[in-house]
């Protein structure tokens, strides 16, 4: 499970890098990069795969997004495809 906490007030973004944590397979490109992009004006988080590798267990993972300003949360199953979460 992945929990993202958003403290609104400005736009923001980050890239989450993940590999298997056990081998050197990342040297052959076996790693997953996921982009998270917060648009403060629309209160929307866009999630996009940044490469074609999906290392989520079972090819999916539960993501919970917490908007800290008003204590709102949204949870969903991420399967490695682009997605938007609006508050």
């Amino acid at each position: 499970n992945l929990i993202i906490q958003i403290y609104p007030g400005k736009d923001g973004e980050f890239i989450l890098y993940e590999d298997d944590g056990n081998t050197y397979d990342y040297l052959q490109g076996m790693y997953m990069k996921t982009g998270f992009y917060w648009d403060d004006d629309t209160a929307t988080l866009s999630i996009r795969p940044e490469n074609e590798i999906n290392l989520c267990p079972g090819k999916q993972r539960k993501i919970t997004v917490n908007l800290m300003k008003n204590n709102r949360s949204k949870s969903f199953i991420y399967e490695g495809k682009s997605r938007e979460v609006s508050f």
Side-chain angles (χ1 to χ4, degrees):
N1 294 342
L2 179 64
I3 298 172
I4 305 295
Q5 295 189 171
I6 297 175
Y7 295 84
K10 285 185 149 183
D11 292 349
E13 62 183 63
F14 73 96
I15 304 291
L16 176 63
Y17 168 92
E18 299 174 275
D19 58 38
D20 68 14
N22 294 312
T23 69
Y24 292 104
D25 288 352
Y26 68 92
L27 295 172
Q28 278 73 48
M30 290 302 298
Y31 55 85
M32 184 168 82
K33 289 171 59 175
T34 307
F36 294 82
Y37 305 92
W38 174 251
D39 184 318
D40 203 61
D41 289 337
T42 63
T44 301
L45 179 67
S46 299
I47 304 168
R48 295 193 299 262
E50 299 292 326
N51 62 355
E52 298 296 320
I53 306 297
N54 184 346
L55 297 177
C56 295
K59 302 298 180 196
Q60 63 183 16
R61 112 177 335 139
K62 181 180 177 183
I63 296 179
T64 300
V65 181
N66 297 324
L67 185 61
M68 303 309 288
K69 180 178 181 179
N70 56 11
N71 294 321
R72 294 183 63 199
S73 292
K74 292 193 177 184
S75 295
F76 58 92
I77 300 299
Y78 178 69
E79 297 178 323
K81 297 184 167 95
S82 294
R83 177 151 190 163
E84 289 191 349
V85 180
S86 297
F87 287 89

